[in-house]
Amino acid sequence: MEIVREAVAGTLESSDVLIRVEPCDHCLEIVIESPVRRQFYEDIKKVVDLTLADFSVTKGRICLNDRGALDCVIAARLETAILRGGERQ
């Protein structure tokens, strides 16, 4: 799937995550902001990487503003953002 337009999913409420995806022609860039970044960065990144792989996303800018979301919430919000901003190849 290719990210062809900017899309957003989620909120900035506690225990949620706001995810924005946007096109990027030359790379896959992942930006993670979180108050628990030091403790859980690797876990968050793993969920993001697996979800992107499930949808075959190889290019785009993925920005997460995490507020302590569980892994299943991160995956669901990212899936929604990808489907809103993506186009099957």
Coordinates of all heavy atoms in Angstrom, one line a residue:
M1 N 0.8 -1.2 0.0 CA 0.0 0.0 0.0 C 0.9 1.2 0.0 O 1.9 1.3 0.7 CB -0.9 0.0 1.2 CG -1.8 1.2 1.3 SD -3.2 1.0 2.3 CE -4.1 -0.3 1.6
E2 N 0.5 2.2 -0.7 CA 1.2 3.5 -0.8 C 0.5 4.6 -0.1 O -0.7 4.7 -0.4 CB 1.5 3.8 -2.3 CG 2.3 5.1 -2.5 CD 2.5 5.4 -4.0 OE1 2.1 4.6 -4.8 OE2 3.0 6.5 -4.3
I3 N 1.2 5.4 0.7 CA 0.5 6.5 1.3 C 0.5 7.7 0.3 O 1.5 8.1 -0.2 CB 1.3 7.0 2.6 CG1 1.5 5.8 3.6 CG2 0.7 8.2 3.2 CD1 0.3 5.3 4.1
V4 N -0.7 8.1 -0.1 CA -0.9 9.1 -1.2 C -1.4 10.4 -0.7 O -1.4 11.4 -1.4 CB -1.8 8.5 -2.3 CG1 -1.1 7.4 -3.0 CG2 -3.1 8.2 -1.8
R5 N -1.9 10.5 0.6 CA -2.4 11.7 1.1 C -2.3 11.7 2.6 O -2.2 10.6 3.2 CB -3.9 11.9 0.7 CG -4.8 10.9 1.3 CD -6.3 11.0 0.7 NE -6.9 9.7 0.6 CZ -6.8 8.8 -0.4 NH1 -5.9 9.0 -1.3 NH2 -7.4 7.7 -0.3
E6 N -2.3 12.8 3.2 CA -2.2 12.9 4.7 C -3.5 12.4 5.3 O -4.6 12.7 4.8 CB -2.0 14.4 5.1 CG -1.8 14.5 6.6 CD -1.4 16.0 7.0 OE1 -0.9 16.7 6.2 OE2 -1.7 16.3 8.1
A7 N -3.4 11.7 6.4 CA -4.5 11.1 7.1 C -4.2 11.0 8.6 O -3.0 10.9 9.0 CB -4.9 9.8 6.6
V8 N -5.2 11.1 9.4 CA -5.0 11.1 10.9 C -6.0 10.1 11.5 O -7.1 9.9 11.0 CB -5.3 12.5 11.4 CG1 -5.2 12.6 13.0 CG2 -4.4 13.6 10.8
A9 N -5.5 9.5 12.6 CA -6.4 8.6 13.4 C -6.0 8.8 14.8 O -4.8 8.9 15.2 CB -6.3 7.2 12.9
G10 N -7.0 8.7 15.7 CA -6.7 8.8 17.2 C -6.9 10.1 17.8 O -7.4 11.0 17.1
T11 N -6.6 10.2 19.1 CA -6.8 11.5 19.8 C -5.6 11.7 20.7 O -4.7 10.8 20.8 CB -8.0 11.4 20.7 OG1 -7.8 10.5 21.8 CG2 -9.3 11.0 19.9
L12 N -5.6 12.8 21.4 CA -4.5 13.1 22.4 C -5.0 12.8 23.8 O -4.4 13.3 24.8 CB -4.0 14.5 22.2 CG -3.3 14.8 21.0 CD1 -3.0 16.3 20.9 CD2 -2.0 14.0 20.9
E13 N -6.1 12.0 23.9 CA -6.6 11.7 25.3 C -5.6 10.7 25.9 O -4.8 10.0 25.2 CB -7.9 11.0 25.1 CG -9.0 11.9 24.6 CD -9.4 13.1 25.5 OE1 -9.4 12.9 26.7 OE2 -9.6 14.2 25.0
S14 N -5.7 10.6 27.2 CA -4.9 9.6 28.0 C -5.2 8.2 27.5 O -6.3 7.9 27.2 CB -5.2 9.8 29.4 OG -4.4 8.9 30.2
S15 N -4.2 7.4 27.4 CA -4.3 6.0 26.9 C -4.6 5.9 25.5 O -5.1 4.8 25.0 CB -5.2 5.2 27.8 OG -4.9 5.2 29.1
D16 N -4.4 6.9 24.7 CA -4.6 6.8 23.2 C -3.4 7.3 22.5 O -2.4 7.6 23.1 CB -5.8 7.7 22.9 CG -6.5 7.3 21.5 OD1 -6.0 6.4 20.8 OD2 -7.5 7.9 21.2
V17 N -3.5 7.3 21.2 CA -2.3 7.8 20.4 C -2.9 8.5 19.2 O -3.9 8.1 18.6 CB -1.4 6.6 20.0 CG1 -2.2 5.6 19.2 CG2 -0.2 7.1 19.2
L18 N -2.3 9.6 18.8 CA -2.7 10.4 17.6 C -1.6 10.0 16.5 O -0.4 10.3 16.8 CB -2.7 11.9 17.9 CG -3.1 12.7 16.7 CD1 -4.5 12.5 16.3 CD2 -2.9 14.2 17.0
I19 N -2.1 9.5 15.4 CA -1.2 9.1 14.4 C -1.5 9.8 13.1 O -2.6 9.9 12.7 CB -1.3 7.5 14.1 CG1 -0.8 6.8 15.4 CG2 -0.4 7.2 12.9 CD1 -0.9 5.3 15.2
R20 N -0.4 10.4 12.5 CA -0.6 11.1 11.2 C 0.3 10.4 10.2 O 1.5 10.1 10.5 CB -0.2 12.6 11.4 CG -0.5 13.4 10.1 CD -0.1 14.8 10.2 NE 1.3 15.0 10.1 CZ 2.1 15.4 11.1 NH1 1.6 15.7 12.3 NH2 3.4 15.6 10.9
V21 N -0.2 10.1 9.0 CA 0.6 9.5 7.9 C 0.5 10.5 6.8 O -0.5 11.2 6.6 CB 0.1 8.1 7.5 CG1 0.2 7.1 8.6 CG2 -1.3 8.2 6.9
E22 N 1.6 10.6 6.1 CA 1.7 11.5 4.9 C 2.7 11.0 3.9 O 3.6 10.2 4.3 CB 2.1 12.9 5.3 CG 3.3 13.1 6.1 CD 3.5 14.4 6.7 OE1 2.6 15.0 7.3 OE2 4.7 15.0 6.5
P23 N 2.5 11.3 2.6 CA 3.4 10.8 1.6 C 4.8 11.2 1.8 O 5.1 12.3 2.3 CB 2.8 11.3 0.3 CG 1.5 11.9 0.6 CD 1.5 12.2 2.1
C24 N 5.7 10.4 1.3 CA 7.2 10.7 1.3 C 7.7 9.8 0.1 O 7.6 8.6 0.2 CB 7.9 10.4 2.6 SG 9.6 10.9 2.6
D25 N 8.2 10.5 -0.9 CA 8.6 9.7 -2.1 C 9.8 8.9 -2.0 O 10.0 7.9 -2.7 CB 8.8 10.7 -3.3 CG 7.5 11.4 -3.7 OD1 6.4 10.7 -3.5 OD2 7.6 12.5 -4.2
H26 N 10.7 9.3 -1.1 CA 12.0 8.6 -1.1 C 12.3 7.7 0.1 O 13.4 7.1 0.1 CB 13.1 9.7 -1.3 CG 13.1 10.7 -0.2 ND1 12.2 11.8 -0.3 CD2 13.8 10.9 0.9 CE1 12.4 12.6 0.8 NE2 13.3 12.0 1.5
C27 N 11.5 7.7 1.2 CA 11.9 7.0 2.4 C 10.7 6.7 3.2 O 9.6 7.1 3.0 CB 13.0 7.7 3.2 SG 12.3 9.2 3.9
L28 N 11.0 5.9 4.3 CA 10.0 5.6 5.3 C 10.6 6.3 6.6 O 11.7 5.9 7.1 CB 9.8 4.1 5.5 CG 8.9 3.7 6.6 CD1 7.5 4.2 6.3 CD2 8.8 2.2 6.8
E29 N 9.9 7.3 7.1 CA 10.3 8.0 8.3 C 9.3 7.8 9.4 O 8.1 8.0 9.2 CB 10.5 9.5 8.0 CG 11.0 10.3 9.1 CD 11.1 11.8 8.8 OE1 10.9 12.1 7.6 OE2 11.4 12.5 9.7
I30 N 9.8 7.4 10.5 CA 8.9 7.1 11.7 C 9.3 8.1 12.8 O 10.5 8.0 13.2 CB 8.9 5.7 12.1 CG1 8.5 4.8 11.0 CG2 8.1 5.5 13.4 CD1 8.7 3.3 11.2
V31 N 8.4 8.9 13.3 CA 8.6 9.8 14.4 C 7.7 9.4 15.6 O 6.5 9.4 15.4 CB 8.4 11.2 14.0 CG1 8.6 12.2 15.2 CG2 9.2 11.6 12.8
I32 N 8.3 9.1 16.7 CA 7.5 8.7 17.9 C 7.8 9.7 19.0 O 8.9 9.9 19.5 CB 7.9 7.3 18.4 CG1 7.6 6.3 17.2 CG2 7.2 6.9 19.6 CD1 8.1 4.9 17.5
E33 N 6.7 10.3 19.5 CA 6.7 11.2 20.6 C 5.9 10.6 21.7 O 4.8 10.2 21.5 CB 6.2 12.6 20.3 CG 7.0 13.3 19.3 CD 6.4 14.7 18.9 OE1 5.6 15.2 19.8 OE2 6.7 15.2 17.9
S34 N 6.4 10.5 22.9 CA 5.7 9.8 24.0 C 6.4 10.2 25.4 O 7.6 10.2 25.4 CB 5.7 8.3 23.8 OG 5.1 7.7 24.9
P35 N 5.5 10.4 26.4 CA 6.1 10.7 27.7 C 6.8 9.4 28.3 O 7.6 9.5 29.2 CB 4.9 11.1 28.6 CG 3.7 10.7 27.8 CD 4.1 10.6 26.4
V36 N 6.5 8.2 27.7 CA 7.1 7.0 28.2 C 8.0 6.4 27.1 O 8.3 5.2 27.1 CB 6.0 5.9 28.5 CG1 5.2 6.3 29.7 CG2 5.1 5.7 27.3
R37 N 8.6 7.3 26.3 CA 9.5 6.9 25.2 C 10.7 6.2 25.7 O 11.1 5.1 25.1 CB 9.9 8.2 24.5 CG 10.9 7.9 23.3 CD 11.2 9.2 22.6 NE 12.4 9.1 21.9 CZ 12.5 8.7 20.6 NH1 11.4 8.4 20.0 NH2 13.6 8.7 19.9
R38 N 11.3 6.6 26.8 CA 12.5 5.9 27.3 C 12.2 4.5 27.7 O 13.0 3.6 27.5 CB 13.1 6.6 28.5 CG 13.8 7.9 28.2 CD 14.5 8.5 29.4 NE 15.2 9.6 29.0 CZ 16.1 10.2 29.7 NH1 16.4 9.7 30.9 NH2 16.8 11.3 29.3
Q39 N 11.1 4.2 28.3 CA 10.7 2.8 28.7 C 10.2 2.0 27.6 O 10.5 0.8 27.5 CB 9.7 2.9 29.9 CG 10.2 3.5 31.1 CD 9.3 4.6 31.6 OE1 8.8 5.4 30.8 NE2 9.0 4.6 32.9
F40 N 9.4 2.6 26.7 CA 8.6 1.7 25.8 C 8.9 2.0 24.3 O 8.2 1.5 23.4 CB 7.1 1.9 26.0 CG 6.7 1.4 27.4 CD1 6.4 2.3 28.4 CD2 6.7 0.1 27.7 CE1 6.1 1.8 29.7 CE2 6.4 -0.4 28.9 CZ 6.1 0.5 29.9
Y41 N 9.9 2.8 24.0 CA 10.2 3.1 22.5 C 10.3 1.8 21.7 O 9.7 1.7 20.6 CB 11.5 3.9 22.4 CG 11.8 4.2 21.0 CD1 11.2 5.2 20.2 CD2 12.8 3.4 20.3 CE1 11.5 5.4 18.9 CE2 13.1 3.6 19.0 CZ 12.5 4.6 18.3 OH 12.7 4.8 17.0
E42 N 11.1 0.9 22.1 CA 11.3 -0.4 21.3 C 10.0 -1.1 21.1 O 9.8 -1.7 20.0 CB 12.4 -1.3 22.0 CG 13.8 -0.7 22.0 CD 14.3 -0.4 20.6 OE1 14.0 -1.2 19.6 OE2 15.0 0.6 20.3
D43 N 9.1 -1.2 22.2 CA 7.9 -1.9 22.0 C 6.9 -1.2 21.1 O 6.3 -1.8 20.2 CB 7.2 -2.0 23.4 CG 8.0 -2.8 24.4 OD1 8.6 -3.8 23.9 OD2 8.0 -2.5 25.6
I44 N 6.9 0.2 21.1 CA 6.1 1.0 20.2 C 6.6 0.8 18.8 O 5.8 0.5 17.9 CB 6.0 2.4 20.6 CG1 5.4 2.6 22.0 CG2 5.4 3.3 19.6 CD1 5.6 4.0 22.6
K45 N 7.9 0.9 18.6 CA 8.5 0.8 17.3 C 8.2 -0.6 16.7 O 7.9 -0.7 15.5 CB 10.0 1.0 17.4 CG 10.7 0.9 16.1 CD 10.7 2.2 15.3 CE 11.7 2.2 14.2 NZ 11.5 1.3 13.1
K46 N 8.2 -1.6 17.5 CA 8.0 -3.0 17.0 C 6.5 -3.1 16.5 O 6.3 -3.7 15.4 CB 8.2 -4.0 18.1 CG 8.0 -5.4 17.7 CD 8.3 -6.4 18.9 CE 8.1 -7.8 18.5 NZ 8.3 -8.7 19.6
V47 N 5.6 -2.6 17.2 CA 4.2 -2.6 16.8 C 4.0 -1.8 15.5 O 3.3 -2.3 14.6 CB 3.2 -2.0 17.9 CG1 1.8 -1.8 17.4 CG2 3.2 -2.9 19.1
V48 N 4.6 -0.7 15.4 CA 4.6 0.1 14.2 C 5.2 -0.6 13.0 O 4.6 -0.7 11.9 CB 5.3 1.5 14.4 CG1 5.4 2.3 13.1 CG2 4.5 2.3 15.4
D49 N 6.4 -1.2 13.2 CA 7.0 -1.9 12.1 C 6.2 -3.1 11.6 O 6.1 -3.3 10.4 CB 8.4 -2.4 12.6 CG 9.4 -1.3 12.7 OD1 9.2 -0.2 12.2 OD2 10.4 -1.5 13.4
L50 N 5.6 -3.8 12.5 CA 4.8 -5.0 12.2 C 3.5 -4.6 11.4 O 3.2 -5.2 10.4 CB 4.4 -5.8 13.4 CG 5.5 -6.6 14.1 CD1 5.1 -7.2 15.4 CD2 6.0 -7.7 13.2
T51 N 2.9 -3.5 11.9 CA 1.7 -3.0 11.2 C 2.0 -2.5 9.8 O 1.3 -2.8 8.8 CB 1.0 -1.9 12.1 OG1 0.8 -2.5 13.4 CG2 -0.3 -1.5 11.4
L52 N 3.1 -1.8 9.7 CA 3.5 -1.3 8.4 C 3.8 -2.4 7.4 O 3.5 -2.4 6.3 CB 4.7 -0.3 8.5 CG 4.5 1.0 9.2 CD1 5.8 1.8 9.4 CD2 3.5 1.8 8.4
A53 N 4.5 -3.5 7.9 CA 4.8 -4.6 7.1 C 3.5 -5.4 6.7 O 3.4 -5.8 5.6 CB 5.7 -5.6 7.9
D54 N 2.5 -5.4 7.6 CA 1.3 -6.1 7.2 C 0.6 -5.4 6.1 O -0.1 -6.1 5.3 CB 0.3 -6.1 8.4 CG 0.7 -7.1 9.5 OD1 1.5 -8.0 9.2 OD2 0.2 -7.0 10.6
F55 N 0.8 -4.1 5.9 CA 0.2 -3.4 4.8 C 1.1 -3.1 3.7 O 0.8 -2.3 2.8 CB -0.5 -2.1 5.4 CG -1.7 -2.3 6.2 CD1 -1.7 -2.5 7.5 CD2 -3.0 -2.4 5.5 CE1 -2.9 -2.8 8.2 CE2 -4.1 -2.7 6.2 CZ -4.1 -2.9 7.6
S56 N 2.3 -3.6 3.8 CA 3.4 -3.4 2.8 C 3.7 -1.9 2.5 O 3.9 -1.5 1.4 CB 3.0 -4.1 1.5 OG 2.8 -5.5 1.7
V57 N 3.7 -1.1 3.6 CA 4.0 0.3 3.5 C 5.5 0.4 3.6 O 6.2 0.0 4.5 CB 3.4 1.1 4.6 CG1 3.8 2.5 4.5 CG2 1.8 1.0 4.5
T58 N 6.2 1.0 2.5 CA 7.6 1.1 2.5 C 8.1 2.5 2.3 O 9.2 2.8 2.4 CB 8.2 0.3 1.3 OG1 7.6 0.7 0.1 CG2 7.9 -1.2 1.5
K59 N 7.1 3.4 2.1 CA 7.4 4.9 1.9 C 6.4 5.7 2.7 O 5.2 5.3 2.7 CB 7.5 5.3 0.5 CG 8.6 4.7 -0.3 CD 8.5 5.2 -1.8 CE 9.5 4.4 -2.6 NZ 9.3 4.8 -4.0
G60 N 6.8 6.8 3.3 CA 5.9 7.7 3.9 C 6.5 8.2 5.2 O 7.5 7.7 5.7
R61 N 5.8 9.2 5.8 CA 6.2 9.7 7.0 C 5.1 9.4 8.0 O 3.9 9.7 7.8 CB 6.3 11.2 6.9 CG 6.7 11.9 8.2 CD 6.9 13.4 8.0 NE 7.0 14.2 9.2 CZ 8.0 14.4 9.9 NH1 9.2 13.9 9.5 NH2 8.0 15.1 11.0
I62 N 5.4 8.7 9.1 CA 4.5 8.2 10.1 C 4.9 8.9 11.4 O 6.0 8.7 11.9 CB 4.6 6.7 10.3 CG1 4.7 5.9 9.0 CG2 3.5 6.2 11.2 CD1 3.6 6.1 8.1
C63 N 3.9 9.7 11.9 CA 4.2 10.5 13.2 C 3.2 10.0 14.2 O 2.0 10.0 14.0 CB 4.0 11.9 13.0 SG 5.1 12.6 11.7
L64 N 3.7 9.5 15.4 CA 2.9 9.1 16.5 C 3.1 10.0 17.7 O 4.2 10.4 18.0 CB 3.4 7.7 17.0 CG 3.0 6.5 16.1 CD1 4.0 6.4 15.0 CD2 2.9 5.3 16.9
N65 N 2.0 10.5 18.2 CA 2.0 11.2 19.4 C 1.3 10.4 20.5 O 0.1 10.4 20.6 CB 1.3 12.6 19.2 CG 1.7 13.6 20.3 OD1 1.9 13.2 21.5 ND2 1.7 14.8 20.0
D66 N 2.0 9.6 21.2 CA 1.5 8.6 22.1 C 1.2 9.2 23.5 O 1.9 10.0 24.0 CB 2.5 7.5 22.3 CG 2.1 6.4 23.3 OD1 1.0 5.9 23.2 OD2 2.9 6.2 24.3
R67 N 0.1 8.7 24.1 CA -0.3 9.1 25.4 C -0.5 7.9 26.3 O -1.4 7.9 27.1 CB -1.6 10.0 25.4 CG -1.4 11.3 24.7 CD -0.5 12.2 25.5 NE -0.3 13.5 24.9 CZ 0.8 14.0 24.5 NH1 1.9 13.2 24.7 NH2 0.9 15.2 24.0
G68 N 0.3 6.9 26.1 CA 0.3 5.7 26.9 C -0.7 4.6 26.4 O -1.2 3.9 27.1
A69 N -0.8 4.6 25.0 CA -1.7 3.6 24.4 C -1.2 2.2 24.5 O 0.1 2.0 24.5 CB -1.9 4.0 22.9
L70 N -2.1 1.3 24.6 CA -1.7 -0.1 24.5 C -1.3 -0.5 23.1 O -1.7 0.2 22.2 CB -2.8 -1.0 25.0 CG -3.3 -0.9 26.4 CD1 -4.6 -1.7 26.7 CD2 -2.2 -1.2 27.4
D71 N -0.6 -1.6 23.0 CA -0.1 -2.1 21.6 C -1.3 -2.2 20.7 O -1.2 -1.9 19.5 CB 0.7 -3.4 21.8 CG 2.0 -3.2 22.4 OD1 2.4 -2.1 22.7 OD2 2.7 -4.3 22.7
C72 N -2.4 -2.8 21.1 CA -3.5 -3.0 20.2 C -4.1 -1.7 19.8 O -4.6 -1.6 18.6 CB -4.6 -3.9 20.9 SG -5.2 -3.3 22.5
V73 N -4.1 -0.7 20.6 CA -4.6 0.6 20.2 C -3.7 1.3 19.2 O -4.2 1.8 18.2 CB -4.8 1.5 21.5 CG1 -5.2 2.9 21.1 CG2 -5.8 0.9 22.4
I74 N -2.4 1.2 19.4 CA -1.4 1.7 18.4 C -1.6 1.0 17.1 O -1.7 1.7 16.1 CB 0.0 1.5 18.9 CG1 0.2 2.3 20.2 CG2 1.0 1.9 17.9 CD1 1.5 2.0 20.9
A75 N -1.7 -0.3 17.1 CA -1.9 -1.0 15.8 C -3.2 -0.6 15.1 O -3.3 -0.4 13.9 CB -1.9 -2.5 16.1
A76 N -4.3 -0.5 15.9 CA -5.6 -0.2 15.3 C -5.6 1.3 14.7 O -6.1 1.5 13.6 CB -6.7 -0.3 16.4
R77 N -5.0 2.2 15.5 CA -5.0 3.6 15.0 C -4.1 3.7 13.8 O -4.4 4.4 12.8 CB -4.5 4.5 16.1 CG -5.3 4.6 17.3 CD -6.7 5.2 17.0 NE -7.3 5.6 18.3 CZ -8.6 5.8 18.4 NH1 -9.4 5.6 17.4 NH2 -9.1 6.1 19.5
L78 N -3.0 3.0 13.7 CA -2.1 3.0 12.6 C -2.8 2.4 11.4 O -2.7 2.9 10.3 CB -0.8 2.4 12.9 CG 0.3 2.4 11.8 CD1 0.5 3.8 11.3 CD2 1.6 1.7 12.2
E79 N -3.5 1.3 11.6 CA -4.2 0.7 10.5 C -5.2 1.6 9.9 O -5.4 1.8 8.7 CB -4.9 -0.6 11.0 CG -5.7 -1.3 9.9 CD -6.4 -2.5 10.4 OE1 -6.0 -3.1 11.5 OE2 -7.4 -3.0 9.8
T80 N -6.0 2.3 10.8 CA -7.0 3.3 10.3 C -6.3 4.4 9.5 O -6.8 4.8 8.4 CB -7.8 3.8 11.5 OG1 -8.4 2.8 12.2 CG2 -8.8 4.8 11.1
A81 N -5.2 5.0 10.0 CA -4.6 6.0 9.3 C -4.0 5.6 7.9 O -4.1 6.3 7.0 CB -3.4 6.6 10.2
I82 N -3.5 4.4 7.9 CA -3.0 3.8 6.6 C -4.1 3.7 5.6 O -4.0 4.1 4.5 CB -2.3 2.5 6.8 CG1 -1.0 2.7 7.6 CG2 -2.0 1.8 5.5 CD1 -0.3 1.4 8.1
L83 N -5.2 3.1 6.1 CA -6.4 2.9 5.2 C -7.0 4.3 4.7 O -7.4 4.4 3.5 CB -7.4 2.1 5.8 CG -7.0 0.6 6.1 CD1 -8.1 -0.1 6.9 CD2 -6.8 -0.1 4.8
R84 N -6.9 5.3 5.5 CA -7.5 6.6 5.2 C -6.5 7.3 4.2 O -7.0 8.0 3.3 CB -7.7 7.4 6.4 CG -8.8 7.0 7.2 CD -8.9 7.9 8.5 NE -10.1 7.5 9.3 CZ -10.3 8.0 10.5 NH1 -9.5 8.8 11.1 NH2 -11.4 7.6 11.2
G85 N -5.2 7.1 4.4 CA -4.3 7.8 3.5 C -3.6 7.0 2.4 O -2.9 7.5 1.6
G86 N -4.0 5.7 2.4 CA -3.3 4.9 1.4 C -4.1 4.5 0.2 O -5.3 4.8 0.1
E87 N -3.4 3.9 -0.7 CA -4.0 3.4 -2.0 C -3.3 2.2 -2.3 O -2.0 2.1 -2.4 CB -3.8 4.5 -3.1 CG -4.5 4.2 -4.3 CD -4.4 5.4 -5.3 OE1 -5.2 6.3 -5.2 OE2 -3.4 5.4 -6.1
R88 N -4.0 1.1 -2.6 CA -3.4 -0.2 -3.0 C -2.7 0.0 -4.3 O -3.1 0.6 -5.2 CB -4.5 -1.2 -3.1 CG -5.2 -1.5 -1.8 CD -5.1 -3.0 -1.5 NE -5.8 -3.2 -0.2 CZ -5.1 -3.6 0.9 NH1 -3.9 -3.9 0.8 NH2 -5.8 -3.9 2.0
Q89 N -1.5 -0.7 -4.3 CA -0.7 -0.6 -5.6 C -1.1 -1.7 -6.5 O -1.6 -2.7 -6.3 CB 0.8 -0.8 -5.2 CG 1.2 0.4 -4.3 CD 2.7 0.2 -3.9 OE1 3.2 -0.9 -3.9 NE2 3.3 1.2 -3.4

